[in-house]
Amino acid sequence: MSKISPVRITPEFVAGLQAHLHHDINVLKLKIEKLEKENRELKALVSLKKQPLFNKTEVVKQVQVDPMVDKWFMNQCEFADNIVDTDGITEYAPSKLQDLFDQFKDWFEDLELDIKQPDKNTFKTSLLAIQEKTPYGLSMGKKRSEPKVNGYRSNPRFNFKVRDNYKEEEEPDFIY
């Protein structure tokens, strides 16, 4: 075994050691500050993720929507993602205006109310207003020859569908 030589502790050695430790401490402080900043940013992102990005109730209150269309939408509908066409690129919203209007008419008739049912144009205007405020937005072509994700003016498509099994007392859906 080799012997360890004793080190003579001089004031210069202590000063050098202190300078080295002081430098290491400053580097560690900078790293801690950087990590704390990243941690704060991550916490902010996590808290944003926990908050709903969209609330159907808020959207309906912000736009002019017929009250009966509002009630039908809130109690009967849920959001639906775009459908990808067979080309694998083109996307379109899943629900056609006429299909939704037929389901709305059936629902309205089942209520047996003594009020006039909203006409198709009122229904369409209300749904377009709702669609525009959804996270999907509204992208329509002017003519049949220029369809977009939400179809075209005279034949729009929507990113919501009628629920399969609904309950009248259910709370509105939220998207997270």
Side-chain angles (χ1 to χ4, degrees), residues 29-90:
K29 283 181 180 177
L30 290 173
K31 286 181 180 180
I32 288 170
E33 287 174 10
K34 182 180 175 186
L35 288 172
E36 287 174 342
K37 180 182 176 190
E38 289 175 1
N39 192 30
R40 284 191 302 275
E41 292 170 352
L42 287 172
K43 283 181 180 180
L45 287 174
V46 168
S47 71
L48 282 177
K49 188 174 181 178
K50 288 180 181 178
Q51 297 173 2
L53 297 177
F54 174 77
N55 176 327
K56 281 193 333 187
T57 306
E58 291 173 6
V59 167
V60 173
K61 288 179 182 174
Q62 292 173 4
V63 295
Q64 295 293 347
V65 177
D66 180 87
M68 292 311 295
V69 176
D70 173 13
K71 183 175 175 79
W72 174 79
F73 175 74
M74 296 301 288
N75 291 314
Q76 306 294 315
C77 293
E78 64 187 8
F79 292 101
D81 291 329
N82 290 328
I83 296 171
V84 179
D85 205 353
T86 54
D87 65 6
I89 299 170
T90 309

Side-chain angles (χ1 to χ4, degrees), residues 37-157:
K37 180 182 176 190
E38 289 175 1
N39 192 30
R40 284 191 302 275
E41 292 170 352
L42 287 172
K43 283 181 180 180
L45 287 174
V46 168
S47 71
L48 282 177
K49 188 174 181 178
K50 288 180 181 178
Q51 297 173 2
L53 297 177
F54 174 77
N55 176 327
K56 281 193 333 187
T57 306
E58 291 173 6
V59 167
V60 173
K61 288 179 182 174
Q62 292 173 4
V63 295
Q64 295 293 347
V65 177
D66 180 87
M68 292 311 295
V69 176
D70 173 13
K71 183 175 175 79
W72 174 79
F73 175 74
M74 296 301 288
N75 291 314
Q76 306 294 315
C77 293
E78 64 187 8
F79 292 101
D81 291 329
N82 290 328
I83 296 171
V84 179
D85 205 353
T86 54
D87 65 6
I89 299 170
T90 309
E91 290 187 17
Y92 56 91
S95 298
K96 295 179 182 178
L97 175 65
Q98 187 61 51
D99 295 338
L100 292 171
F101 187 64
D102 290 341
Q103 292 172 328
F104 172 74
K105 286 190 309 188
D106 292 343
W107 172 82
F108 192 87
E109 288 171 9
D110 288 345
L111 293 178
E112 299 177 356
L113 299 173
D114 290 333
I115 60 172
K116 184 180 174 199
Q117 172 187 314
D119 63 13
K120 189 173 181 179
N121 193 45
T122 301
F123 181 78
K124 175 182 171 181
T125 304
S126 295
L127 289 190
L128 288 172
I130 293 169
Q131 176 70 39
E132 186 173 23
K133 300 295 182 181
T134 68
Y136 298 99
L138 179 63
S139 177
M140 278 193 326
K142 293 180 181 180
K143 305 178 200 171
R144 184 178 189 165
S145 61
E146 333 172 309
K148 294 192 177 177
V149 173
N150 295 111
Y152 48 97
R153 280 187 187 169
S154 62
N155 192 15
R157 300 180 74 96

